[in-house]
Amino acid sequence: MEQQALVIALVGVLGIGAQWIAWRTGWPAIVLMLVAGFLAGPVLNLFDPEAAFGPMLGPMISIGVALILFEGGLSLDLRELRHAGDGVWRLFLFGIPLGWFFGAWGLHFAGLVWPVAVLFAGILVVTGPTVVMPLLRQASVQPRPAAILKWEAIVNDPAGALCAVAAYEYFRLSANGATLFEVVPPMIVAAVLAAALGYAAAWVIAYLFPRGMVPEYLKVPVLLTMVIAVFVAANLIEHEAGLVSVTVMGVALANMNVQSLRSIHPFKQNIAVLLVSGIFILLSASLNFEELRYLEWRIGLFLLGLLFIIRPATVLIALLGSSVPWRERLFLAWIAPRGIVLVAISGLFALRLADLGYADGNILIGLSFAVVVATIVSSGFTVNLVARLLGVKGTTRPGLLIVGATPWTIALARQMNELKTPVMIVDSSWQRLAPVRQQGLPFYHGEILNEATEHNLDLTPFQVLVAATENEAYNALVCNEFAYEIGRDAVYQLGEASENDDYRALPESLRGRALFQSGFGVEDVGQLKREGWVFRRTRLSDQFDFNDAQQKLPEANQMLLLLRPDGTMRFFSHAVQPQPRAGDTIISFSPPQPKTPEEVAAKKAAKRGGKAQTA
């Protein structure tokens, strides 16, 4: 028992530690987890998952994979998928069969027996949003190819699992001497029953949660218990049919518009991170050098074929006759990194194939890691170069999302727009957006908190949010809603945070960071704007530093933010003081500067000249 607890603790430290290092460095988390698990397992022999957990290792991985697929299904909102165009549908309807077919032949050529080759090729159709999305952010790809890659990854994760289930069930039944007619109809019936079970479970959740029949503190436990129960029940109908059930359950819930699920999204994402980290460390630690010896030169040729033949042929054939331009097709044909779902499902079925007597099944884990490393390295190190050569790079500068159209926010947006920073003003009032439209600034007409906004407004380019409507409580609500997605240190609002013992004001934990060191509120900036205060920008250099800028600006001037040369924004607040350096541009909110006698005289002379010309 103590040994198992120690292994669990070590797995958690390695997995979450690798995720943290990936966040700090920008390196792929999946590669860091692979290295950590491989070092802890076969290299240093710190622990052996099979020895530590014994017969429980298989069920643990199975339930973990089921929860990961359920969480992935919850991301598949078909309403948002419609905005991605016909490219995603073509890659789903034609790309999956083509990729499965080409992959099976390539794997068989590499030396795998047909059952193992067909099953693994089915899993290979996945890409993985956990690795695709960081690459897209890194390269700042244009919206259309980015949307296609994102939704292909989301759709293909459950599709790859279903392909593997179908292949496994076919070979399991046919191994007992059953004919094709005896195998296929029962498989179809079992799949339909499993899908119906998953949909029924989703309907029960959608019925109970909004009606208050489950208390808030029990919603997450009830949902997780339901997922595991559905998974186990479907497996009693047919082996591995539980993966079909939980996938259908997740997709169905995502499209039933269950408002009660919004509050558990952060928790289910945390669960997904823990499961991904744990499973990946366990699988990489279970590798051994004897199994890795099977990865001979033919496997290397297969990896090259996967990168340069199978993936390009799949994408280019599937997109024939589509509206996707050829430059974007070539980009899609190259970018296809695989992630945790490939490794998790491969690890699950490696155990099953070994039980059926297929020796090649033992190398699936090592082969899946080889595919992950090859595809992540090839895509990660070339995505910027390929995107630039094919002309599909978007803006690389971080964007600013402003909630609320007021004279102050419009002036700020105009200032940032002139500095080439992507900016977007969001407001639900068409009338308040009138001056925004007149000045030609980007805007979105809609309620930022409405779920439909998530489907119509791409938030990827925006790394900072400023909520500055005339309602402070609403601003706090917006900041609290988007803190998890954008980051609590990147959501700001006007007004200073209250003291902890002030029960009459909003607590700091529910609001965004305060703009300005002085803690100007909504009414303050509105009044100052009416008095003639304006935004000013001051560029720093080696000869003109921050102290020089402070002396030049009016005494009442308020520093708002500094803009780095790469577009990064750092805001001045009561809690954080960024360190200005040469090359930065400071944006400040300043009172009108009094005119010098020379400026007054010049203005009077201009007026006299205008009157004389009129006369």
Side-chain angles (χ1 to χ4, degrees):
M1 175 67 84
E2 293 182 359
Q3 181 186 5
Q4 291 176 338
L6 181 62
V7 171
I8 292 174
L10 185 58
V11 168
V13 170
L14 292 175
I16 301 304
Q19 296 265 14
W20 182 82
I21 293 174
W23 169 72
R24 293 290 297 176
T25 62
W27 297 342
I30 195 169
V31 175
L32 293 175
M33 288 189 290
L34 167 60
V35 173
F38 191 71
L39 289 175
V43 176
L44 301 178
N45 291 317
L46 296 180
F47 68 92
D48 182 359
E50 294 185 4
F53 299 105
M56 290 297 297
L57 181 62
M60 287 168 54
I61 294 177
S62 297
I63 292 176
V65 172
L67 291 171
I68 290 172
L69 289 177
F70 170 74
E71 194 274 336
L74 279 177
S75 304
L76 185 52
D77 193 320
L78 299 178
R79 292 167 294 183
E80 187 175 348
L81 183 58
R82 288 194 292 267
H83 296 283
D86 63 339
V88 176
W89 291 111
R90 284 176 171 269
L91 290 176
F92 175 72
L93 296 175
F94 306 119
I96 289 178
L98 287 170
W100 196 356
F101 176 79
F102 293 146
W105 277 100
L107 288 164
H108 183 63
F109 174 78
L112 271 65
V113 296
W114 273 115
V116 179
V118 171
L119 188 146
F120 190 63
I123 307 174
L124 274 181
V125 303
V126 307
T127 47
T130 56
V131 287
V132 167
M133 295 307 295
L135 283 182
L136 296 178
R137 286 193 294 268
Q138 169 191 339
S140 184
V141 180
Q142 290 178 356
R144 179 167 51 190
I148 292 176
L149 283 174
K150 167 190 171 183
W151 282 104
E152 180 199 19
I154 293 175
V155 171
N156 282 10
D157 265 7
L162 300 185
C163 291
V165 170
Y168 171 77
E169 284 303 303
Y170 174 79
F171 290 118
R172 184 183 69 85
L173 295 173
S174 61
N176 297 324
T179 64
L180 184 66
F181 182 77
E182 293 173 331
V183 169
V184 174
M187 280 179 53
I188 295 175
V189 172
V192 170
L193 291 176
L197 178 61
Y199 185 86
W203 184 88
V204 171
I205 294 293
Y207 181 85
L208 295 178
F209 279 20
R211 289 168 174 80
M213 302 177 75
V214 177
E216 198 67 31
Y217 73 95
L218 281 181
K219 285 183 177 178
V220 171
V222 166
L223 186 60
L224 293 180
T225 303
M226 182 79 81
V227 172
I228 297 173
V230 166
F231 174 71
V232 174
N235 279 345
L236 295 178
I237 299 174
E238 190 69 48
H239 287 281
E240 308 311 332
L243 298 180
V244 179
S245 288
V246 296
T247 301
V248 172
M249 182 180 174
V251 175
L253 272 177
N255 293 275
M256 286 182 176
N257 196 26
V258 183
Q259 296 298 328
S260 300
L261 291 179
R262 290 177 63 90
S263 60
I264 71 171
H265 279 184
F267 181 83
K268 62 99 174 174
Q269 291 177 354
N270 293 336
I271 288 292
V273 170
L274 289 172
L275 290 171
V276 164
S277 303
I279 291 177
F280 212 93
I281 294 296
L282 287 174
L283 290 176
S284 57
S286 65
L287 290 170
N288 59 67
F289 292 104
E290 184 175 338
E291 292 176 356
L292 294 177
R293 292 192 185 98
Y294 285 95
L295 304 180
E296 53 185 15
W297 62 270
R298 285 186 295 181
I299 297 297
L301 288 180
F302 167 74
L303 295 176
L304 293 175
L306 178 66
L307 296 174
F308 294 100
I309 300 176
I310 296 175
R311 171 66 179 182
T314 298
V315 172
L316 296 178
I317 294 175
L319 295 180
L320 281 176
S322 71
S323 59
V324 181
W326 274 100
R327 293 181 295 104
E328 296 180 9
R329 297 186 201 183
L330 293 174
F331 180 76
L332 298 174
W334 177 246
I335 303 299
R338 270 64 171 189
I340 183 61
V341 172
L342 171 68
V343 175
I345 300 176
S346 299
L348 176 62
F349 282 102
L351 304 175
R352 303 292 186 266
L353 289 171
D355 294 339
L356 293 180
Y358 294 110
D360 287 349
N362 293 326
I363 71 168
L364 283 192
I365 298 178
L367 182 56
S368 65
F369 279 118
V371 170
V372 165
V373 172
T375 55
I376 287 181
V377 169
S378 62
S379 297
F381 283 99
T382 63
V383 60
N384 273 299
L385 175 63
V386 174
R388 186 166 56 251
L389 292 177
L390 293 176
V392 298
K393 281 187 71 68
T395 177
T396 58
R397 295 177 69 83
L400 174 63
L401 185 67
I402 301 176
V403 181
T406 67
W408 186 83
T409 60
I410 294 172
L412 173 61
R414 184 170 62 249
Q415 191 73 226
M416 301 305 293
N417 192 53
E418 292 174 358
L419 291 171
K420 309 302 181 185
T421 294
V423 65
M424 177 77 68
I425 297 180
V426 181
D427 203 297
S428 59
S429 170
W430 186 252
Q431 182 179 1
R432 286 194 295 266
L433 287 170
V436 181
R437 302 195 304 272
Q438 292 169 0
Q439 298 185 37
L441 295 171
F443 69 92
Y444 176 80
H445 179 220
E447 171 54 61
I448 189 68
L449 296 175
N450 195 308
E451 190 175 355
T453 301
E454 300 177 11
H455 311 139
N456 298 315
L457 178 62
D458 182 16
L459 298 177
T460 305
F462 305 107
Q463 297 185 10
V464 177
L465 180 144
V466 170
T469 70
E470 296 177 352
N471 187 326
E472 183 182 356
Y474 177 80
N475 296 337
L477 180 62
V478 170
C479 290
N480 195 50
E481 179 73 16
F482 286 90
Y484 188 84
E485 183 173 352
I486 298 179
R488 186 158 292 278
D489 58 343
V491 291
Y492 295 85
Q493 69 178 96
L494 291 165
E496 191 173 0
S498 64
E499 299 294 335
N500 292 332
D501 57 352
D502 186 359
Y503 63 88
R504 294 179 296 271
L506 287 171
E508 186 175 1
S509 60
L510 293 181
R511 66 191 314 280
R513 288 192 172 185
L515 294 170
F516 297 113
Q517 290 178 266
S518 61
F520 277 162
V522 176
E523 296 180 358
D524 297 325
V525 296
Q527 179 62 34
L528 293 175
K529 191 74 177 65
R530 288 189 292 271
E531 293 175 1
W533 281 50
V534 295
F535 284 102
R536 302 184 189 277
R537 56 177 183 257
T538 308
R539 185 173 177 82
L540 305 182
S541 64
D542 293 328
Q543 295 76 30
F544 189 81
D545 60 13
F546 184 60
N547 291 329
D548 297 328
Q550 287 181 308
Q551 294 175 5
K552 180 182 177 182
L553 291 168
E555 185 177 352
N557 174 79
Q558 296 292 322
M559 301 292 183
L560 176 61
L561 66 95
L562 60 83
L563 188 67
R564 306 284 190 202
D566 63 355
T568 302
M569 289 167 278
R570 294 289 183 264
F571 284 79
F572 292 87
S573 70
H574 70 289
V576 177
Q577 302 300 314
Q579 297 298 319
R581 52 178 182 248
D584 292 347
T585 299
I586 295 178
I587 307 297
S588 58
F589 192 47
S590 300
Q593 289 183 325
K595 292 182 173 60
T596 63
E598 293 79 6
E599 291 174 334
V600 173
K603 186 174 182 180
K604 290 181 178 179
K607 286 184 178 180
R608 287 195 299 269
K611 291 179 180 179
Q613 186 175 8
T614 303

